[in-house]
Amino acid sequence: MMEKRSSFTGKIGFVLAAAGSAVGLGNIWRFPYLAAKYGGGIFLLVYLILAVTFGFSLMCAEIALGRKTGKSAIGAFRALDKRFSFVGVVASIIPAIILPYYSVIGGWVTKYLAVFASGHVTEAANDGYFENFISKPFEPVGWFLLFIGLTALVVLLGVQKGVEKVSKVMMPVLIVLTVFVAVYSMFMPGALEGVKYYLLPDFSKFSATTVLAAMGQLFYSMSLAMGIMITYGSYMKKDVSLESSVRQIEVFDSAIAFLAGLMIIPAVFSFSGGDEQALGKGPGLMFVTLPKVFGGMKGGAVIGTVFFLLVLFAALTSSISLMETVVSIVRDKFGLKRGTTCLIVFVVSVALGIPSSLGFGVLDSVKLLGMSILDMFDFVSNSVLMPVVAFATCIFVGYVIKPQSLIDEVELTGEFKKKKLFTVIIKYVAPIFIVLILITSVLDTLGIMKI
Ligand code: PHE
């Protein structure tokens, strides 16, 4: 017999758990970097507009799909139309691919927290420290195991006692710490230039690619198109307002992304004397530049520790949502117990994560399309599979089951105020934009076109 389906206790639990999934590494290092690159204030404005239109509609659709069917991705699509089961299958593969490599990066974050907390700030600020660390055979694998082990422990405890409880503690702490570091950073000498650079619009950097970059970031940041919100929706009670929950998740996610910019850009400007190149790209910013910034500032050990603690919370709540989604899918499919399923998912993820971790050292020579193993997993899941699933979801909701069926689900708790917007976006606007994202991100990564 299958155990009864779990649920979140109420609205706050649901919103914080979903926000926990949405707020992650993407908010903290990717958003500030993109905002700096694409014209500061103008990027922020474009992102905000997209969040309240696209992000809002897609998130409503996914959560409603989950709550309506009471199933995770594969079951949800199948229950409504058998021909579309494959969309659920592809959506479910995504978190299974992301979880291992996301946990490798989570392991790096855990290591940096330990380094800062134990006062080894100057070492972490040395040239080559990060490259040396990730190329070791055993140490990063150890931190990866610790991080994914913690994730598995929370998932093992279940939806209410694990996922919800942890989110209710970590998310409020995360906000407080973020505001603290952002305020500190803005008052550093020379930081004001960074604040201006971040907030004032630079129209010369605005183009169609600004919109596409903002859109790609939005999908990733809101954990859309990978079955997570469908799964979390299936744990949502019918008497909780779906529309206002989505609003709150969005505000949470965008606010942390915005604050992350205020935390990072002014600090980097202050450190580098206003050199925007120092913002760099990708892991380099968080693991190379920021440790140097902390190393050079007064109270750097404390701020560095606080910073990596908040990043760890953000990463953990996201990896929990990834593992919970995979566990939920496997359980729905095979009717296994939570404990057994957690163990299987843990073992498989460890097996997949180890090569990603070794890809910077022992397996350095293994390159696929010129990318490391970790980057390859990232590319396949984010740049290829996610847009495909997002597109298929829009077509499915817009033309197969029809928007009205989900509007009815949202209206269980009162009028769906933005239902017109929802319908137009899902049927017409989103599919077109998603195809554009898919094409540009693939061409960009393959180096055929530079965005
Ligand atoms: N939304 C998370 C972020 O912004 C990333 C994430 C992706 C989380 C996939 C879970 C799953 O970093």
Side-chain angles (χ1 to χ4, degrees):
M1 252 315 271
M2 188 73 187
E3 299 152 48
K4 182 172 166 294
R5 191 165 196 84
S6 336
S7 70
F8 291 111
T9 53
K11 187 172 180 200
I12 297 183
F14 172 76
V15 168
L16 290 180
S21 171
V23 174
L25 298 169
N27 298 56
I28 297 174
W29 62 253
R30 198 152 176 269
F31 183 87
Y33 151 74
L34 288 176
K37 177 170 170 191
Y38 289 106
I42 186 70
F43 179 86
L44 298 180
L45 186 68
V46 170
Y47 185 86
L48 197 68
I49 293 172
L50 292 178
V52 298
T53 51
F54 278 81
F56 169 80
S57 304
L58 280 153
M59 188 174 268
C60 281
E62 289 198 17
I63 295 177
L65 271 175
R67 192 171 77 173
K68 185 179 170 69
T69 55
K71 299 220 158 59
S72 51
I74 300 185
F77 281 96
R78 175 170 317 120
L80 297 171
D81 190 322
K82 279 216 166 56
R83 291 170 305 167
F84 277 74
S85 306
F86 76 94
V87 183
V89 175
V90 180
S92 309
I93 295 173
I94 303 175
I97 297 180
I98 299 182
L99 175 64
Y101 81 78
Y102 199 83
S103 303
V104 169
I105 304 175
W108 299 348
V109 174
T110 320
K111 150 89 179 175
Y112 271 69
L113 172 61
V115 170
F116 276 87
S118 60
H120 294 83
V121 189
T122 32
E123 273 162 58
N126 280 342
D127 282 336
Y129 183 83
F130 176 61
E131 290 74 12
N132 181 36
F133 164 62
I134 59 169
S135 62
K136 288 186 188 156
F138 300 115
E139 200 193 333
V141 173
W143 291 105
F144 156 65
L145 290 176
L146 177 65
F147 182 88
I148 199 168
L150 280 174
T151 306
L153 209 64
V154 175
V155 174
L156 187 65
L157 289 173
V159 174
Q160 287 186 6
K161 292 204 196 92
V163 182
E164 179 171 333
K165 237 192 194 139
V166 166
S167 309
K168 275 182 168 165
V169 176
M170 286 190 184
M171 296 313 286
V173 175
L174 173 77
I175 296 205
V176 174
L177 299 185
T178 309
V179 171
F180 172 73
V181 180
V183 171
Y184 191 93
S185 161
M186 282 191 296
F187 284 100
M188 287 168 66
L192 200 61
E193 279 312 303
V195 177
K196 281 195 203 146
Y197 183 79
Y198 180 45
L199 298 183
L200 298 178
D202 176 352
F203 291 99
S204 70
K205 290 188 183 156
F206 179 80
S207 69
T209 50
T210 310
V211 181
L212 291 177
M215 187 92 150
Q217 169 65 11
L218 183 71
F219 272 90
Y220 184 72
S221 186
M222 292 183 72
S223 303
L224 294 171
M226 55 181 110
I228 293 183
M229 292 301 160
I230 301 184
T231 301
Y232 276 22
S234 76
Y235 300 149
M236 186 189 202
K237 292 199 170 141
K238 295 272 187 193
D239 59 356
V240 171
S241 162
L242 205 153
E243 188 173 10
S244 82
S245 300
V246 171
R247 281 264 171 267
Q248 290 172 5
I249 299 165
E250 244 179 348
V251 169
F252 215 118
D253 187 53
S254 311
I256 296 282
F258 176 72
L259 286 169
L262 281 182
M263 223 166 32
I264 291 173
I265 298 177
V268 171
F269 261 63
S270 162
F271 167 78
S272 65
D275 175 13
E276 54 194 82
Q277 298 304 325
L279 282 168
K281 187 183 174 178
L285 172 62
M286 196 149 84
F287 297 107
V288 180
T289 315
L290 284 178
K292 287 188 195 296
V293 174
F294 297 137
M297 69 161 72
K298 234 181 28 226
V302 175
I303 295 294
T305 307
V306 173
F307 175 80
F308 281 105
L309 182 67
L310 78 85
V311 178
L312 179 65
F313 281 6
L316 259 180
T317 46
S318 293
S319 66
I320 290 168
S321 75
L322 287 165
M323 191 179 273
E324 176 61 39
T325 300
V326 181
V327 165
S328 171
I329 286 160
V330 176
R331 285 185 72 199
D332 282 356
K333 183 102 187 95
F334 301 105
L336 299 173
K337 285 228 160 60
R338 178 172 282 270
T340 324
T341 321
C342 279
L343 186 68
I344 298 172
V345 172
F346 175 76
V347 171
V348 172
S349 304
V350 167
L352 288 173
I354 289 177
S356 296
S357 179
L358 296 180
F360 300 98
V362 185
L363 298 181
D364 187 36
S365 54
V366 183
K367 290 271 184 284
L368 307 148
L369 290 171
M371 289 180 254
S372 69
I373 302 175
L374 191 151
D375 289 333
M376 186 66 201
F377 280 134
D378 185 56
F379 170 67
V380 170
S381 52
N382 292 315
S383 304
V384 182
L385 296 179
M386 271 170 69
V388 169
V389 171
F391 179 75
T393 307
C394 291
I395 300 300
F396 180 69
V397 175
Y399 301 93
V400 181
I401 62 167
K402 304 275 155 58
Q404 190 60 43
S405 64
L406 297 186
I407 292 173
D408 292 343
E409 178 64 34
V410 177
E411 295 200 325
L412 288 178
T413 54
E415 199 202 345
F416 186 178
K417 297 200 196 71
K418 291 280 183 313
K419 61 177 166 236
K420 283 223 177 68
L421 175 87
F422 171 78
T423 310
V424 172
I425 298 250
I426 296 282
K427 284 184 85 151
Y428 310 109
V429 193
I432 298 173
F433 267 87
I434 293 164
V435 170
L436 289 176
I437 297 188
L438 178 63
I439 297 173
T440 45
S441 67
V442 170
L443 293 184
D444 178 47
T445 312
L446 299 182
I448 297 170
M449 192 182 97
K450 270 276 149 266
I451 308 189

